[in-house]
Amino acid sequence: NLEGSGSFVLPETESEPLPPVSGNPARLYADFLLDDIARRPGFKGWFVVVDGGGRVRWYYTGEPGKEAPGSEGWHLLVLASRATPPEYLAYLQDEGVPYLVAGDDRVDLGQALAKLRGLLDVECVLCTSPGKLGGALLRAGLVDEINVLWLPAVVGGTQTPTLFECPELGPDERPTKLSLISSRTCSGGSVWLRYRVESAPEGEKA
């Protein structure tokens, strides 16, 4: 499962200060993985959070006996960048939270997903965080399938978030094309739609 830091911390929230790092901080910018996690009995997978700004303070790390209800077997992993504050990376190591470093100024999602596959054998990533993270994944061409659950309710308004918050399409860019995989009417009148993301034709950008 892949989430953004905005799922846990509001934009206006100020994070608790962390102690300064002693010594050379360069050592913190290597991937920090704990080899024994995936071999633990009952391990189901990784709960991955993009937090290049080092905003979230974690009180649940997935350690045995510390699981939040309903999260047993899932272990937290943070995606950071080389611009992530070293104090945050030191904090993650102290808490025993694994992290991967991908990108310079911000988290490079393509590089991060490649590391998840190459280092941790992750073959399927589910992102339930639309908005900015969903938009970034879409614009980077990293989405294979989109699931939309329509509920029988209307919100309206000018401040209602969209499914994919991302930069506007440029003059030479085209909307991302989708192909319907299946549709299902669920209880209460909701409708579950599954779409496959089609590759853009040569010369077009999604």
Side-chain angles (χ1 to χ4, degrees):
N1 195 14
L2 177 65
E3 299 286 340
S5 61
S7 297
F8 307 94
V9 181
L10 294 174
E12 62 273 14
T13 301
E14 292 188 11
S15 301
E16 180 183 347
L18 295 170
V21 173
S22 59
N24 185 357
R27 59 183 172 81
L28 298 168
Y29 290 90
D31 298 329
F32 177 66
L33 296 173
L34 303 174
D35 296 335
D36 66 321
I37 293 176
R39 294 194 293 268
R40 291 174 182 168
F43 176 78
K44 295 179 182 178
W46 298 97
F47 186 83
V48 184
V49 178
V50 182
D51 191 13
R55 303 180 63 235
V56 185
R57 302 294 179 261
W58 300 102
Y59 301 100
Y60 156 65
T61 65
E63 291 293 325
K66 295 184 180 180
E67 293 91 347
S71 61
E72 292 84 356
W74 295 90
H75 200 288
L76 174 66
L77 184 146
V78 173
L79 299 181
S81 75
R82 294 177 187 85
T84 300
E87 295 82 5
Y88 184 63
L89 300 180
Y91 159 77
L92 293 178
Q93 290 197 11
D94 290 342
E95 291 293 322
V97 178
Y99 61 80
L100 298 176
V101 179
D104 295 320
D105 298 330
R106 61 182 62 189
V107 174
D108 184 318
L109 294 172
Q111 187 183 130
L113 294 182
K115 282 193 170 187
L116 287 172
R117 176 63 184 269
L119 298 177
L120 300 173
D121 297 322
V122 173
E123 296 183 354
C124 180
V125 176
L126 171 66
C127 178
T128 58
S129 178
K132 292 182 179 179
L133 178 56
L137 291 167
L138 188 71
R139 285 289 186 261
L142 299 172
V143 180
D144 297 316
E145 182 177 321
I146 294 174
N147 283 236
V148 180
L149 184 63
W150 294 103
L151 302 178
V154 177
V155 178
T158 59
Q159 302 299 316
T160 304
T162 62
L163 287 177
F164 299 97
E165 295 181 21
C166 46
E168 300 292 340
L169 291 173
D172 62 337
E173 296 177 313
R174 300 290 182 269
T176 300
K177 295 181 180 180
L178 308 177
S179 294
L180 183 65
I181 299 173
S182 65
S183 63
R184 176 182 174 185
T185 301
C186 306
S187 61
S190 60
V191 179
W192 176 18
L193 301 174
R194 292 180 59 203
Y195 290 99
R196 179 183 301 106
V197 176
E198 300 293 341
S199 299
E202 187 174 353
E204 291 187 5
K205 300 179 181 179

